[in-house]
Amino acid sequence: MATWLFSLLLGMSVLFACTNAEVHKHEFIIQETPVKRLCNTHNIITVNGQFPGPTIEVKEGDTLVINVVNQAKYNVTIHWHGIRQKRTAWADGPEFVTQCPVKPGESYKYRFTIEGQEGTLWWHAHSSWLRATVYGALIIYPRGNNSYPFEKPSREVPVLLGEWWNANPIDVINEAQRTGAAPNVSDALTINGQPGDLFNCSSDDTITIPVKAGETTLFRFINSALNTEMFVSIANHKMMVVGADASYLKPFTTSVIMIAPGQTTDVLVTMDQAIASYYIAARAYASAQGVAFDNTTTTAILEYDCGCTTKHGPGGIPPIFPSLPAFNDTNTATAFTTSLRSPSKVKIPEPVDEDLFFTVGLGLLNCPGKKCGGPNGTRFAASMNNFSFVLPSEVSILQAHQYGLEGVFTTDFPAKPQVQFDYTAQNISQALYQPVKSTKVYPLKFGSVVQLVLQGTSIVAGENHPIHIHGYDFYILAEGFGNFDPKKDTAKFNLVDPPMRNTVGVPVNGWAVIRLVADNPGVWLMHCHLDVHITWGLAMAFLVDNGVGELESLEPPPIDYPVC
């Protein structure tokens, strides 16, 4: 009897643990909102009038239902960056890849469940350059009574790094596309939407984070900037890195982090300094030579509770400023990214079924009959394996795949470059500068193990490219400089405890190798998260077939799926 009762109670507890997940419902109103920055007020596109947008907080296993109502003048979609979207590719969000945009005056409910992920992610618009102002944090806590694999912090603070233009970002990119030139760089970097003390008309609104001596704070850094990788440092304080892209890491201590657009980094900071105020500061990591970038520095203030005034002002004591690396300090960027490790030994997917090699880089297109704004009258472009990605305009790729619509995309994206060359040489033939515009996807069988070498090129300018894959996390096995050489570089693979991420920085004039299992059916965009580059075509998509049975197959499209 006692054994029977114990079994019953155990079964009930397991059932309760599996069913205590919640459904969170939100409404996102996309609207114009007047905002004042850098002494000027103009309308920007926001969610619910907030800039940055609202923070979404859930637990692992919860379901989100977010009704996006478009009251703005632009088409819009929302991408839930880093969410695996198992079987729910319809909710992933990239415009014309998994859905048609939500038109002005219309709405769409994004529905998805968060499975097997904990940590810091984020959400952002995935239409044109709307994500310049349409973004926010998405925080996933452990399920039930589970705890972090580190000491619980006294408080947690999302820190969203961004960029600000004294112009409409949509106008900025539209003008660049019209002329073929590079778009104007931003006028300020921001922390939680504010430029900080180093800018005119900004000090009164500088973000201030109150802390107490002896406490430990978990900072959830998110790089939501459009085009700027950043170094971040906190004056006189060490940061213990414990997670990235909603995956836990083996803790290590650093005085500076490098974080690319699309990436998140969780750090613990113990308030062990003298009672005062300290700047959190961020500025660009600019790896491309001769390319314009926003060279400003954004700040927030870490303010110890002392009952005194320490901010700038009459009689105030200025906050202490941190040391930041030089803009082009690739050594520091590399030292940081190569320090990332999973907390313990992981099971590496093997054997490899798909051994892929993709070049990533810039290019130039001729402008027949006219002079464009790029070098020597050309138009800037970008590509993977020399194919510059073109989005459809009348139907999404996923929809075309689901219903067998022809003429929308082709399934012949090459597994390796059609022309091999010295990818990182100083003088590459001009004949290799011209990519081919196309809408190509690479098909993958469900369950296949994929190894992908991402090889940067020096065409136009070598640059660190943060490459993001929708719908997947992946292990980063190795990174390096120059051309990837399988004969010698395979020996450098970390097959013990490689970090898991959703966005990998391909080093300037270098390479990175990632591995994943294609266990999520649908169409999944892979692109550079520098938005100027995806605009120019630095993207492709994987088409992952259904597996066997319902649990390995894409769900049917929702009834309110947007039409083009």
Side-chain angles (χ1 to χ4, degrees), residues 152-227:
K152 186 177 180 180
S154 302
R155 66 186 70 194
E156 302 183 12
V157 181
V159 181
L160 292 97
L161 308 168
E163 290 179 271
W164 176 264
W165 274 263
N166 280 331
N168 181 345
I170 303 298
D171 293 341
V172 171
I173 189 56
N174 284 349
E175 175 65 10
Q177 289 180 294
R178 185 186 68 81
T179 64
N184 291 339
V185 300
S186 51
D187 295 289
L189 304 181
T190 60
I191 293 177
N192 289 350
Q194 295 292 344
D197 280 354
L198 305 184
F199 294 85
N200 292 334
C201 310
S202 300
S203 291
D204 290 346
D205 296 310
T206 297
I207 299 296
T208 299
I209 301 167
V211 296
K212 292 183 178 180
E215 289 186 345
T216 297
T217 297
L218 174 62
F219 289 97
R220 300 177 179 271
F221 286 102
I222 301 167
N223 190 337
S224 37
L226 256 69
N227 298 312

Side-chain angles (χ1 to χ4, degrees), residues 319-529:
I320 299 168
F321 205 87
S323 173
L324 284 166
F327 293 118
N328 62 348
D329 190 345
T330 293
N331 288 339
T332 294
T334 303
F336 177 76
T337 58
T338 55
S339 296
L340 274 57
R341 296 281 188 275
S342 285
S344 57
K345 184 176 181 179
V346 300
K347 183 174 174 56
I348 303 294
E350 57 182 357
V352 172
D353 301 304
E354 297 275 1
D355 198 356
L356 307 178
F357 187 104
F358 293 178
T359 59
V360 295
L362 305 184
L364 299 171
L365 293 172
N366 290 329
C367 294
K370 65 175 181 178
K371 188 174 182 179
C372 289
N376 301 315
T378 61
R379 170 181 294 276
F380 279 107
S383 68
M384 290 188 174
N385 277 356
N386 206 42
F387 287 101
S388 188
F389 193 70
V390 178
L391 290 170
S393 59
E394 297 182 358
V395 67
S396 74
I397 298 174
L398 182 61
Q399 195 175 16
H401 167 63
Q402 179 81 354
Y403 297 109
L405 304 178
E406 296 183 354
V408 178
F409 65 91
T410 61
T411 57
D412 57 347
F413 190 89
K416 61 182 180 181
Q418 294 176 322
V419 177
Q420 280 85 50
F421 58 98
D422 185 353
Y423 306 110
T424 56
Q426 292 300 308
N427 296 300
I428 294 177
S429 169
Q430 294 287 322
L432 296 168
Y433 274 51
Q434 297 259 345
V436 178
K437 288 190 171 186
S438 65
T439 308
K440 295 180 182 292
V441 305
Y442 190 90
L444 292 170
K445 291 182 179 179
F446 186 94
S448 58
V449 174
V450 181
Q451 180 169 292
L452 172 58
V453 176
L454 293 161
Q455 174 69 60
T457 79
S458 58
I459 293 175
V460 181
E463 188 166 359
N464 185 300
H465 295 281
I467 303 297
H468 172 51
I469 304 182
H470 288 228
Y472 284 91
D473 290 324
F474 46 77
Y475 289 113
I476 304 174
L477 301 186
E479 65 174 67
F481 294 97
N483 299 333
F484 177 76
D485 182 351
K487 293 180 180 178
K488 67 175 184 178
D489 292 329
T490 302
K492 301 174 184 176
F493 286 5
N494 178 359
L495 300 176
V496 178
D497 57 357
M500 177 175 277
R501 303 203 75 161
N502 62 55
T503 305
V504 56
V506 179
V508 51
N509 290 327
W511 51 269
V513 182
I514 65 173
R515 195 177 292 185
L516 59 86
V517 179
D519 59 358
N520 193 9
V523 175
W524 304 106
L525 187 66
M526 181 171 76
H527 64 93
C528 182
H529 221 280

